[in-house]
């Protein structure tokens, strides 16, 4: 085995080579010699480690093939110590065999490499640089010509990197810039100018064509020169990056230097072409419009950075002219067509801006200009009273919604309140003063309010200002003296009370279909946490609330109070209320609205009903003997709380009279000092009648019952006896008006229990009556006492006169209260104070106030000071 001194560079190679190389001088079989060598080596190693100082071991790696060699080298290195030797690694064996100074603990001291080339490579570098520059220049030419580069793109990229690393980046950039400029101005520009058509759209299309081609070329060039872009230009503050450079150069060439055949700059024609495309779209010229070209052109201008400077001012200028022309053409059309046209135009403008990538500032400017020209400048068209009235009457909900939205965007929706209020006043006044349809007044007013509420909800976005305007307008025409002079003294209050009476008697059956709640009302009710209007009780409550809304508009509530009290009394006495809960809920609402003094008598009426039931139960318990054919029910009322009724004399049947007298004695004995005044006009009865087609139960009034009982003594049938009008009057003792009403309801109404001779709608004193034995009806129980619920003209007149008298007394009381507190006042001051105090109960005319002042002067409550022209209170 050779010693370490005899090893050369050829024998000591890399570890990988050592693992494959076989050493011929190494023993073939080392299995027997390796243990001995190891045994001989260990003492020596121990000796070395004990005598030498510690030094850093040489890190070596040995493969499986040279493990024996390493062991021998280690053994040889530990033989002794001498001067440092030079290790020959060239492969030439020295003449003298010297000991190796390679020591595992200290490492090699010196390494000599022979035949190392250390000469200059400048010539080769310059040649590579020249070749790379030529390849890059050839690549530019190939890209400009649309050809494939001769050198791979990766090699070109490495060449750019090499040039930049040689500090030639600035020269490379200038060369790149000059070549691009030369190509654009000398090659592309002539082609661009030669292909431009005559129209502006053609010029735009040509520019975009060449821009697309240049964009592809510049993208490839940026990929090749990306190292220049990222390492040099990105860190430069003065030089643009390659993308910006390509955009600037093309923009300068195409939009500044290029000129059309007519001498105009090509950039100007391109901008005009874009505006022409917008015009074609506005005029629906589909054959001339190219949407893709417009979209791509706008994107191109955004890339060039000239959108806001070049295109936006021009399109705004042309748009203003277009909007003016559009408005002038449609100014003479009706309001609905004008609103629809403007809304369609504005929507198309907004859609175009979104679809074709218009800038947000352009969209906003177009929107503002269009609104100023079409809406604000032509607001007279949109605020026309006749036009708005037509939209409301035709229920043009989409158009009304467009109108409100457009006005609100221009911040002038408040101006719509004036024509809105004018419409309400006009229509409302016509309803109030229409005497032919006076019975339908409340329903028509509620339908009007319902339609306006839906408009405010669905079209006006629940604008509270319009809700307030609606209330103001309703209060205005309902309390207008001109309207009340035509329709009578607060006819509206009377009609509202009668409408509430219909609802409380008939329930939802009395509600017109036009006033019922819709799906949105039910949703709103559920969101507010109240009972859904799908429930019958909740819907009835809502209808009563709507009627109460009209009641709130009335300044004079005394007429309403009088008629509501009268109708409530009839419902309670005749048990005709649809719901006792609805009655009490309505009473609670009136108490909240008008105070406890307004509903005090109404609450007492309910208490009287409860007391009367208890009183009747006590009477029946005390009365042992009772008639099997007659069941008497008496309701005792307090005269102060209930309406006053006229005393009408009637001859009641003897059996009924006997029971009445018995109850009278029972009540007087129980309540000393009280006196009962019987009102048979309010009484009602249930009679069992037998006809040929079967028996029926008839619900009749007391007067009807008295008349029908007269026919029990007569024979039935066509040949039976009859009773004349005079016979019936002498037997019943009724006055003519009441008797005629009663006979008319029995013989001329829907259910004809009696037959009148001769036939006719009117009852005369010469008529005769017989029982209609052939009467038949599917129902067993038949109501014929509807006549009691109807109000006669005389009763209506008496109620109004009573209200007027009460108003006079209230006016006198107000005058006295004012003078007692102020002691002395002038006539105008006193009139103003009295009007202020009495307006909640009812509007009082100035002449009426003056009359009451004169009455108080006559009664010595006041006196007039002639010198100071003042009224003085007399204590």
């Amino acid at each position: 085995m050779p010693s370490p001194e005899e090893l050369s560079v050829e024998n000591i190679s890399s570890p990988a080579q050592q693992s494959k190389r076989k050493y011929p001088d190494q023993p073939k079989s080392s299995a027997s010699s390796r243990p001995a060598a190891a045994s001989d080596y260990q003492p020596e190693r121990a000796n070395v480690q004990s005598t030498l100082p510690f030094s850093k071991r040489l890190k070596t790696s040995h493969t499986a093939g040279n493990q024996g060699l390493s062991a021998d080298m280690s053994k040889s290195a530990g033989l002794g110590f001498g001067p440092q030797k030079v290790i020959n690694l060239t492969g030439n064996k020295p003449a003298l065999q010297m000991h190796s100074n390679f020591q595992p603990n200290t490492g090699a001291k010196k390494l000599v490499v022979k035949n190392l080339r250390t000469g200059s490579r400048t010539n080769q570098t310059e040649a590579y640089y020249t070749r790379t520059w030529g390849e890059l220049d050839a690549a530019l030419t190939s890209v400009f010509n649309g050809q494939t580069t001769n050198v791979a793109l990766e090699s070109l990229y490495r060449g750019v990197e090499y040039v930049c690393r040689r500090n030639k980046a600035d020269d490379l950039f200038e060369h790149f810039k000059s070549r691009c400029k030369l190509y654009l101005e000398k090659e592309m520009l002539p082609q661009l100018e030669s292909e431009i058509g005559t129209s502006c759209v053609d010029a735009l299309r040509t520019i975009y064509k060449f821009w697309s081609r240049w964009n592809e070329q510049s993208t490839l060039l940026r990929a090749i020169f990306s190292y220049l872009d990222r390492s040099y230009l990105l860190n430069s503050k003065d030089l643009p990056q390659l993308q910006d450079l390509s955009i600037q150069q093309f923009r300068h060439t195409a939009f500044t230097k290029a000129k059309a055949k007519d001498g105009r700059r090509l950039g100007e024609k391109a901008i005009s072409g874009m505006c022409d495309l917008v015009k074609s779209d506005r005029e629906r010229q589909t054959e001339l419009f190219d949407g893709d070209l417009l979209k791509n052109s706008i994107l191109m201008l955004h890339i060039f950075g000239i959108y806001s400077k070049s295109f936006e001012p021009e399109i705004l200028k042309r748009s203003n002219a277009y909007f003016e022309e559009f408005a002038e053409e449609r100014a003479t059309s009706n309001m609905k067509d004008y609103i629809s046209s403007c809304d369609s135009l504005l929507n198309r403008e907004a859609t175009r801006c979104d679809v074709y990538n218009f800038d947000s500032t352009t969209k906003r400017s177009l929107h503002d200009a269009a609104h100023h020209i079409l809406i604000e400048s032509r607001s007279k068209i949109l605020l026309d009273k006749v036009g708005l009235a037509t939209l409301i009457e035709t229920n043009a909900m989409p158009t009304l919604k467009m109108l409100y939205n457009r006005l609100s965007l221009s911040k002038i929706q408040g101006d719509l309140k004036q024509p809105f209020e004018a419409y309400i006043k006009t229509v409302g006044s016509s309803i109030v003063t229409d005497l032919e349809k006076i019975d339908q007044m409340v329903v028509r007013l509620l339908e009007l309010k319902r339609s306006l509420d839906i408009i405010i909800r669905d079209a006006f976005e629940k604008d509270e200002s319009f809700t307030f305007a609606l209330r103001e307008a309703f209060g205005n025409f309902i309390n207008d003296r001109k309207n009340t002079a035509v329709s009578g003294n607060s006819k509206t209050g009377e009609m509202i009370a009668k409408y509430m009476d219909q609802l409380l008697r008939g329930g939802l059956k009395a509600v017109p279909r036009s006033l019922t709640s819709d799906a949105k009302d039910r949703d709103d009710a559920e969101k507010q946490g109240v009972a859904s209007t799908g429930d019958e009780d909740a819907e009835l409550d809502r209808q009563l609330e709507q009627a109460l809304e009209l009641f709130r508009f009335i300044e004079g509530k005394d007429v309403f109070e009088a008629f509501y009290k009268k109708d409530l009394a009839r419902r309670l006495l005749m048990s005709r209320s649809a719901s006792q809960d609805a009655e009490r809920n309505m009473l609670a609402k009136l108490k909240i609205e008008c105070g406890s003094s307004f509903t005090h008598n109404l609450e007492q009426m309910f208490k009287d009903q409860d007391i009367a039931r208890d009183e009747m139960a006590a009477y029946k318990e005390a009365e042992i003997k009772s008639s099997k054919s007659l069941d008497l029910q008496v309701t005792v009322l307090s005269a102060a709380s209930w309406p006053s009724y006229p005393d009408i004399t009637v001859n009641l049947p003897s059996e009924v009279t006997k029971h009445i007298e018995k109850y009278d004695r029972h009540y007087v004995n129980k309540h000393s000092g009280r006196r009962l005044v019987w009102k048979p006009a309010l009484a009602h009865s249930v009679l069992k009648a037998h006809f040929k087609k079967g028996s029926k139960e008839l619900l009749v009034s007391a007067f009807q019952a008295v008349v029908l009982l007269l026919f029990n003594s007569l024979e039935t049938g066509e040949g039976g006896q009859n009773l004349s009008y005079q016979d019936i009057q002498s037997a019943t003792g009724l006055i003519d008006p009441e008797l005629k009403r009663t006979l008319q309801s029995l013989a001329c109404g829907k259910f004809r229990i009696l037959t009148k001779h001769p036939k006719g709608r009117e009852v005369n004193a010469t008529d005769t009556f017989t029982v209609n034995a052939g009467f038949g009806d599917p129902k067993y129980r038949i109501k014929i006492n509807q006549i009691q619920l109807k109000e006669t003209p005389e009763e209506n007149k008496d109620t109004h006169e009573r209200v007027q008298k009460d108003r006079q007394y209230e006016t006198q009381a107000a005058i006295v209260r004012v003078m007692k507190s102020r002691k002395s006042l002038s006539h105008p001051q006193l009139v103003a104070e009295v009007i202020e105090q009495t307006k909640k109960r009812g509007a009082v005319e100035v002449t009426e106030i003056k009359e009451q002042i004169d009455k108080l002067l006559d009664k010595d409550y006041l006196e007039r000071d002639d010198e100071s022209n003042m009224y003085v209170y007399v204590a």
Side-chain angles (χ1 to χ4, degrees):
M1 181 176 181
S3 63
E5 289 84 352
E6 296 174 349
L7 294 177
S8 64
V9 177
E10 297 175 350
N11 294 328
I12 302 177
S13 59
S14 64
Q17 293 173 344
Q18 291 177 8
S19 64
K20 296 180 181 179
R21 183 179 300 162
K22 296 181 179 179
Y23 296 90
D25 297 335
Q26 191 175 0
K28 299 295 183 179
S29 177
S30 59
S32 60
S33 62
R34 290 174 67 112
S39 177
D40 296 337
Y41 174 73
Q42 288 177 356
E44 296 174 356
R45 185 177 179 183
N47 185 21
V48 172
Q49 292 179 350
S50 62
T51 57
L52 293 178
F54 174 78
S55 61
K56 186 176 183 181
R57 293 172 179 247
L58 176 65
K59 293 184 180 179
T60 60
S61 61
H62 305 285
T63 60
N66 61 0
Q67 289 179 356
L69 177 61
S70 301
D72 293 339
M73 292 175 65
S74 300
K75 181 178 180 181
S76 301
L79 295 177
F81 301 93
Q84 295 183 354
K85 307 298 182 181
V86 177
I87 299 174
N88 186 3
L89 299 178
T90 61
N92 299 324
K93 295 182 179 180
L96 297 176
Q97 295 292 335
M98 299 178 65
H99 293 286
S100 174
N101 66 346
F102 179 76
Q103 300 177 6
N105 295 329
T106 59
K109 299 302 182 178
K110 187 175 181 180
L111 181 65
V112 178
V113 180
K114 293 183 178 181
N115 298 328
L116 180 63
R117 185 174 58 186
T118 58
S120 176
R121 301 178 61 186
T122 305
N123 296 332
Q124 296 180 359
T125 302
E126 291 295 332
Y128 177 76
Y129 173 76
T130 304
R131 185 177 73 252
T132 301
W133 190 274
E135 290 175 352
L136 293 176
D137 189 69
L140 288 172
T141 304
S142 299
V143 172
F144 293 152
N145 295 332
Q147 300 173 355
T148 305
T149 58
N150 297 327
V151 182
L153 296 179
E154 183 178 359
S155 299
L156 295 173
Y157 174 83
R158 296 299 181 187
V160 173
E161 182 180 358
Y162 172 76
V163 173
C164 292
R165 288 184 181 276
R166 288 195 40 99
N167 297 326
K168 298 293 184 179
D170 52 348
D171 295 338
L172 183 60
F173 173 73
E174 292 296 333
H175 181 69
F176 179 86
K177 179 179 178 182
S178 60
R179 282 300 309 273
C180 291
K181 181 179 180 181
L182 182 65
Y183 165 73
L184 290 173
E185 295 182 358
K186 299 300 181 182
E187 296 184 28
M188 182 177 286
L189 181 58
Q191 297 178 12
L192 177 63
E193 292 178 342
S194 62
E195 294 185 17
I196 293 175
T198 57
S199 67
C200 296
V201 177
D202 292 338
L204 176 64
R205 187 176 288 108
T206 303
I207 289 180
Y208 181 72
K209 171 187 173 182
F210 280 87
W211 160 248
S212 300
R213 189 174 75 183
W214 171 248
N215 192 29
E216 294 177 358
Q217 294 172 345
S218 61
T219 301
L220 180 57
L221 293 177
R222 288 199 305 273
I224 296 174
F225 290 86
S226 60
Y227 189 85
L228 172 68
D229 204 15
R230 289 184 286 107
S231 65
Y232 176 65
L233 298 178
L234 183 63
N235 300 321
S236 177
K237 296 182 180 179
D238 301 327
L239 299 179
Q241 289 187 267
L242 297 183
Q243 183 178 6
D244 297 335
L245 177 65
S246 62
I247 293 172
Q248 294 173 6
Q249 288 181 331
F250 184 86
R251 181 183 64 195
H252 177 74
T253 302
F255 276 76
T256 305
K257 298 197 68 174
K259 293 186 178 181
K261 296 178 181 180
D262 56 1
R264 293 174 59 189
R265 286 185 177 180
L266 194 56
E268 296 178 2
K269 294 199 68 173
I271 299 299
S272 298
M274 295 173 66
C275 295
D276 291 342
L277 287 176
V278 174
K279 180 180 179 182
S280 300
D281 186 34
R282 285 171 173 168
E283 296 177 355
R284 312 289 178 89
Q285 297 177 355
T286 55
E287 68 280 358
L288 300 178
F289 179 67
D290 189 347
D292 293 336
L293 178 60
L294 178 60
K295 184 176 182 179
N296 294 329
S297 299
I298 291 177
L299 181 59
M300 178 179 67
L301 293 187
H302 279 297
I303 294 174
F304 291 168
I306 60 174
Y307 174 90
S308 300
K309 182 179 180 181
S310 301
F311 174 70
E312 189 176 43
E314 185 66 21
I315 192 63
L316 292 178
K317 177 181 177 182
R318 296 195 181 191
S319 297
N320 289 339
Y322 171 74
F323 295 150
E324 288 285 353
E325 182 180 358
F326 182 89
E328 289 297 330
E329 290 177 357
R330 289 160 179 78
T332 56
S333 60
N334 57 56
M335 188 176 184
K336 182 177 181 179
D337 293 340
Y338 184 82
I339 295 173
S340 301
S341 300
C342 292
D343 188 75
S344 176
L345 171 65
L346 292 169
N347 289 333
R348 283 191 288 110
E349 292 292 328
T351 303
R352 184 184 303 110
C353 292
D354 294 334
V355 171
Y356 299 111
N357 296 331
F358 281 54
D359 194 74
S360 59
T361 57
T362 306
K363 181 180 179 181
R364 189 182 305 109
S365 299
L366 286 173
H367 177 273
D368 294 342
H371 265 270
H372 176 73
I373 295 172
L374 301 176
I375 307 300
E376 297 177 16
S377 299
R378 271 78 179 178
S379 59
K380 291 183 179 180
I381 301 175
L382 301 176
L383 301 176
D384 181 58
K385 296 181 181 179
V386 178
L388 180 62
T390 304
L391 293 180
I392 296 176
E393 290 173 356
T394 56
N395 197 26
M397 197 65 65
T399 306
L400 288 169
K401 189 172 184 178
M402 293 179 199
L403 174 63
Y404 178 82
N405 289 337
R406 294 307 171 187
L407 291 176
S408 61
L409 289 174
S410 297
K411 307 298 182 182
I412 58 173
Q413 73 274 17
D415 297 340
L416 189 62
K417 290 190 295 184
Q418 183 177 358
F420 185 69
E421 290 183 7
Y423 169 78
I424 297 173
K425 293 176 182 178
T426 303
V427 177
S429 299
S430 64
I431 294 174
V432 172
T433 57
D434 189 358
L435 300 180
E436 295 180 358
K437 299 180 180 180
I438 194 70
D439 294 336
Q440 304 176 12
M441 176 196 295
V442 177
V443 174
R444 294 172 66 189
L445 288 176
L446 289 175
E447 288 176 346
L448 173 63
K449 186 177 182 299
R450 171 70 177 165
S451 64
L452 296 173
D453 286 337
I454 293 176
I455 289 174
I456 295 174
R457 182 192 69 187
D458 297 341
F460 294 168
E461 299 181 357
K462 299 180 181 180
D463 193 333
E464 291 295 334
S465 62
F466 284 88
T467 303
F468 180 77
L470 183 147
R471 294 172 181 170
E472 287 290 321
F474 263 79
N476 184 279
F477 74 78
I478 286 177
N479 299 294
D480 191 356
R481 298 291 178 84
K482 297 180 181 178
N483 298 334
T484 56
V486 176
S487 60
N489 183 22
S490 191
K491 199 69 175 178
T492 307
E494 175 189 347
M495 293 296 107
I496 293 174
K498 290 182 177 179
Y499 176 75
M500 289 184 178
D501 177 60
Q502 293 178 7
L503 294 180
L504 293 170
R505 279 193 291 112
L508 289 180
K509 297 179 181 179
V511 179
R513 184 175 295 274
S514 59
L515 297 178
T516 55
S517 302
D518 56 11
K520 290 187 177 180
D521 292 327
R522 289 190 286 271
D523 293 341
D524 293 341
E526 293 175 358
K527 290 179 181 178
Q528 294 173 4
V530 299
S532 173
T533 53
D535 182 13
E536 290 187 1
D537 294 336
E539 178 64 16
L540 179 60
D541 185 73
R542 179 187 172 279
Q543 295 299 330
L544 290 171
E545 182 65 30
Q546 293 296 321
L548 195 62
E549 281 286 337
L550 291 182
F551 168 72
R552 293 189 181 102
F553 298 138
I554 303 174
E555 291 182 355
K557 296 178 172 54
D558 49 357
V559 177
F560 171 85
E561 180 186 8
F563 282 93
Y564 185 85
K565 181 178 180 181
K566 188 176 180 181
D567 294 333
L568 175 61
R570 283 178 173 157
R571 293 195 300 273
L572 294 178
L573 293 176
M574 298 178 189
S575 302
R576 298 304 299 272
S577 292
S579 172
Q580 287 294 325
D581 292 337
E583 291 281 4
R584 295 187 181 278
N585 288 339
M586 190 65 201
L587 191 62
K589 291 180 180 180
L590 289 174
K591 186 174 183 178
I592 294 173
E593 190 67 29
C594 305
S596 58
S597 60
F598 186 87
T599 58
H600 175 72
N601 291 337
L602 304 181
E603 292 174 345
Q604 186 61 41
M605 293 167 69
F606 283 95
K607 293 179 182 179
D608 288 347
Q609 288 277 300
D610 297 335
I611 294 173
R613 281 193 290 269
D614 297 340
E615 192 70 37
M616 199 65 209
Y619 168 73
K620 289 184 177 182
E621 290 179 0
E623 189 67 25
I624 300 175
K625 296 180 180 180
S626 61
S627 176
K628 296 183 180 180
S629 61
L630 180 64
D631 182 15
L632 181 67
Q633 296 288 334
V634 180
T635 303
V636 181
L637 313 176
S638 56
S641 300
W642 291 75
S644 59
Y645 297 98
D647 294 328
I648 301 176
T649 304
V650 63
N651 298 326
L652 297 175
S654 58
E655 188 175 358
V656 176
T657 303
K658 181 174 65 174
H659 280 77
I660 289 177
E661 291 175 353
K662 187 183 297 185
Y663 183 85
D664 198 334
R665 289 194 298 272
H666 165 79
Y667 187 84
V668 171
N669 292 333
K670 186 176 180 180
H671 304 281
S672 59
R674 295 186 182 182
R675 184 174 66 89
L676 294 178
V677 178
W678 295 90
K679 300 288 184 180
L682 303 177
H684 59 279
S685 307
V686 179
L687 300 180
K688 188 172 184 180
H690 301 279
F691 300 96
K692 291 181 179 181
K693 296 182 179 180
S695 299
K696 303 290 182 184
E697 281 190 0
L698 306 178
L699 274 68
V700 294
S701 67
F703 295 164
Q704 290 173 329
V706 170
V707 172
L708 289 177
L709 290 176
L710 296 177
F711 289 88
N712 280 343
S713 60
L714 302 178
E715 296 182 4
T716 60
E718 297 180 358
Q721 297 180 3
N722 55 33
L723 290 176
S724 65
Y725 177 85
Q726 299 297 334
D727 295 337
I728 296 174
Q729 187 174 33
S730 61
T732 59
L734 290 171
I735 58 178
D736 285 338
E738 290 297 332
L739 182 59
K740 287 183 178 182
R741 286 181 65 209
T742 303
L743 291 173
Q744 192 175 27
S745 64
L746 293 172
C748 305
K750 179 180 179 181
F751 304 104
R752 299 187 179 186
I753 309 301
L754 302 179
T755 302
K756 187 176 79 72
H757 306 281
K759 295 182 178 181
R761 298 291 299 176
E762 300 295 333
V763 175
N764 299 317
T766 57
D767 293 340
T768 58
F769 299 89
T770 59
V771 176
N772 182 12
F775 175 79
D777 192 83
K779 298 179 180 178
Y780 177 75
R781 193 180 183 92
I782 303 172
K783 297 178 181 179
I784 312 178
N785 62 337
Q786 299 293 337
I787 187 173
Q788 286 183 292
L789 299 175
K790 293 182 180 179
E791 184 185 42
T792 62
E794 292 76 10
E795 291 176 346
N796 185 281
K797 183 179 180 181
D798 291 342
T799 303
H800 277 288
E801 289 178 353
R802 188 167 59 253
V803 170
Q804 188 63 28
K805 289 181 180 179
D806 293 342
R807 188 174 293 178
Q808 291 177 1
Y809 298 145
E810 290 175 0
T811 303
Q812 292 181 8
I815 294 172
V816 172
R817 285 196 302 271
V818 171
M819 292 303 301
K820 189 174 182 179
S821 61
R822 304 292 292 274
K823 301 304 180 182
S824 63
L825 280 176
S826 63
H827 180 77
Q829 291 175 336
L830 178 59
V831 171
E833 291 282 349
V834 172
I835 291 176
E836 181 66 24
Q837 289 196 11
T838 58
K839 68 178 182 180
K840 292 184 178 180
R841 295 287 299 170
V844 183
E845 297 288 343
V846 177
T847 56
E848 180 67 22
I849 296 176
K850 187 176 184 305
E851 291 178 2
Q852 302 308 318
I853 292 175
D854 293 339
K855 289 181 180 180
L856 291 176
L857 289 172
D858 295 338
K859 294 178 182 180
D860 294 333
Y861 283 93
L862 306 175
E863 64 181 15
R864 182 184 289 109
D865 188 354
D866 296 333
E867 295 182 358
S868 59
N869 197 18
M870 303 277 285
Y871 293 117
V872 180
Y873 175 71
V874 178

